[in-house]
Each structure stands twice: as structure tokens, then as C-alpha cells.
Amino acid sequence: MEKKQLLYEGKAKKVWSTEDENLCIVDYKDDATAFNGLKKGTIAGKGAINNRVSNFMMQVLEQEGVPTHFVEELSERETLVKKVSIVPLEVIIRNISAGSFAKNYGVEEGIVFEEPTIEFSYKNDDLGDPLINAYHARALKLATKEEIETIKAMAFKTNEVMKAFFKKLNIDLVDFKLEFGKTADGSLVLADEISPDTCRFWDSTTHEKLDKDRFRRDMGNVEGAYQEMMKRILGE
Ligand code: ADP
Ligand code: UDP
């Protein structure tokens, strides 16, 4: 399958059309941004790592019964996916306090929750992806009540599968962001990516951060952390 037309260029990926109107090709870049685009940089090798890591996780999830957009890895940085209409919600699951949760609610990072939390942000760069609840999402016609229920169930299932998967790699899955989309027949699938850009990963023993927080917080060894996660996930 060949790339035809550039449909969209985002902060981390390009999306191309193909000769099949129901499929598109995502092309992962090394560009990194944080704080709603205010901080910009590149992480050498990130595109290739995120492509492989995301595809691996999507296949793990498919095997556990979570439908995803994944079709076929085409090259180091390119993957064929089902073309979806993205539900403009960032769905965030948390198992441990960190990032904006710690900041907004005035608690330290590292509190292990008894139950995971879920929250939604309205995916809108101009507005800075504001936090919204399910009623707001329905009022804004971003999704129906049934779609929101399906998204919640798929997000919690994804968390259970990923938490268990990463525990075996001696990694605590702190929090992550998911996006969902609707295929041509209207069914919801997990889309976008699952990578150190979109998840917080802490080594269970050393509590070392192995994710994009190293870039956000100028902690150094960003490339090394992404490589370490790929090594553990792919077992190579
Ligand atoms: P952003 O838009 O936040 O800058 P990216 O650089 O990752 O993010 O761009 C990828 C874009 O492609 C995102 O807007 C995402 O919602 C969208 N996308 C992800 N998966 C699919 C898919 N299967 N079909 C269509 N669009 C997708
Ligand atoms: N996240 C993401 N994209 C976003 C916002 C958040 O992938 O636009 C991920 C982030 O990597 C983390 C989780 O969602 O794993 C929770 O992020 P948080 O709300 O704490 O925001 P941040 O601290 O990144 O501003």
C-alpha cells in the first residue's frame, strides 16, 4: 500500500491517504512537543520506537479483545491503519498520581490509587484541550451516551491488560492517554498511539521515569529511556 495524499500533519505524526478510502498510513516523526506546543524539540529515533511500540501494544490489546485501528506495520516509521473519524476526546486513565493530577489537586506524585480514575479532555488545540465531563461531551455532541459508555469500558479494559503486561516487565503503568475513532461502519476502535509519548512508565524497583516526562522536565537521557522501554516491550 502506497502513501497518496498528506491528509494531516500533527505534532508527532503525519497521516496519509491510500488507494483504499477505508485505510490510511501513519508516519511517526522524531518531533516532540509539550505544554500544548510551547516546548518543542526532537528525540532522536523516537518515531521508529513509537511506531514499533504502539503496534506491539495494539496487537496485545486485539488479542485480549480490544478492537484497534492497527492493520499492518509497513516500515520502520510507517503503519497501515483503519481510517477512522476521531472522537475529539482525550481519554486519560490514571493508576498513580502524577503530572496534572498532582498539580491540580495539590498532592504529591506516586500515590497508588485503589481504583483507576478516568477523565476526558476536549481535543482542541486552540482551547488547550480543556478538561470536560461526560455531560459536557454529550452537550457538545462529541459523542453519544452509548459511545461514551463503550469508550469507558474499552479504556478500563485497556488499562487492565496494559497494567498486567507492564508489571511483568517491572514497569508501573502510572497513567496514559487514549483516543478512539469510528470506522466506516460506525464501530468504535482504539486509535492513535500507545507509546512513551502518551503513557507514564516508572521502573517498579528504581522508580526511574522511562517516558516523555524526561523531555518535559529536562531530565536528560530521553533517548535512552525510549530505547529501554522498546527493549523491555519487544524483548530485544
Ligand atoms: P496531534 O494532532 O495531537 O498533533 P499527532 O501528531 O499524533 O497528534 O497526529 C496524528 C493525528 O492523527 C491525530 O490528530 C490523531 O487523532 C489522528 N489519528 C490517529 N489515528 C487515526 C486513524 N486511525 N485514522 C484517522 N486519524 C487518526
Ligand atoms: N497525555 C498525552 N497527551 C496529552 C496530554 C496528556 O499523551 O495531550 C498523557 C501523558 O503522557 C500522561 C497522561 O496523558 O501519560 C496524563 O497526562 P497529564 O494530564 O498528567 O498531563 P501532563 O502532565 O502531561 O500535562
Side-chain angles (χ1 to χ4, degrees):
M1 195 74 70
E2 301 274 307
K3 293 191 283 203
K4 251 173 80 179
Q5 253 190 324
L6 183 62
L7 298 176
Y8 177 81
E9 174 156 9
K11 297 184 287 286
K13 301 190 285 299
K14 292 180 191 167
V15 183
W16 298 85
S17 66
T18 66
E19 64 233 36
D20 184 334
E21 61 176 7
N22 293 318
L23 298 174
C24 56
I25 292 173
V26 290
D27 185 355
Y28 285 73
K29 309 192 285 185
D30 286 351
D31 297 350
T33 62
F35 313 120
N36 205 23
L38 281 177
K39 184 178 170 78
K40 289 192 178 72
T42 55
I43 302 172
K46 173 172 86 80
I49 290 174
N50 285 2
N51 185 40
R52 295 190 67 193
V53 162
S54 189
N55 292 341
F56 191 95
M57 293 315 302
M58 294 278 177
Q59 289 172 87
V60 167
L61 287 161
E62 284 277 356
Q63 276 177 8
E64 298 293 332
V66 179
T68 79
H69 71 166
F70 177 78
V71 177
E72 186 190 356
E73 190 166 290
L74 298 176
S75 72
E76 210 183 21
R77 287 169 187 273
E78 296 165 324
T79 294
L80 188 65
V81 297
K82 290 176 192 156
K83 186 174 176 186
V84 298
S85 147
I86 291 284
V87 177
L89 290 173
E90 299 203 333
V91 181
I92 293 171
I93 297 273
R94 301 177 191 271
N95 297 305
I96 301 177
S97 66
S100 67
F101 184 96
K103 186 166 170 276
N104 291 342
Y105 308 130
V107 296
E108 77 258 37
E109 296 201 310
I111 302 165
V112 180
F113 303 147
E114 276 176 29
E115 277 181 85
T117 68
I118 190 164
E119 73 210 41
F120 304 107
S121 292
Y122 177 22
K123 198 173 143 60
N124 183 318
D125 279 339
D126 294 338
L127 300 176
D129 297 341
L131 197 62
I132 61 171
N133 67 33
Y135 291 91
H136 299 150
R138 285 171 61 193
L140 293 167
K141 298 202 164 31
L142 308 182
T144 65
K145 191 175 184 179
E146 292 71 30
E147 284 166 354
I148 291 169
E149 287 310 313
T150 306
I151 286 172
K152 277 191 339 202
M154 283 168 68
F156 282 125
K157 168 85 181 175
T158 297
N159 185 45
E160 291 313 311
V161 173
M162 295 220 306
K163 232 170 48 179
F165 175 85
F166 285 107
K167 199 67 219 166
K168 290 187 193 141
L169 307 179
N170 204 42
I171 294 286
D172 290 336
L173 177 63
V174 175
D175 57 28
F176 56 93
K177 183 267 299 178
L178 300 174
E179 290 182 31
F180 294 86
K182 278 190 282 183
T183 58
D185 67 6
S187 58
L188 278 165
V189 298
L190 182 58
D192 204 51
E193 68 176 279
I194 297 175
S195 73
D197 269 13
T198 62
C199 306
R200 285 194 169 95
F201 298 125
W202 294 354
D203 183 280
S204 304
T205 311
T206 64
H207 305 296
E208 187 188 5
K209 295 188 198 306
L210 295 170
D211 56 60
K212 196 172 157 188
D213 271 347
R214 301 200 74 87
F215 169 78
R216 293 189 189 98
R217 302 178 188 188
D218 295 319
M219 298 170 76
N221 197 28
V222 187
E223 284 87 0
Y226 278 69
Q227 280 162 13
E228 174 65 21
M229 281 311 304
M230 180 169 76
K231 208 171 96 187
R232 290 201 206 179
I233 293 167
L234 302 175
E236 46 186 67

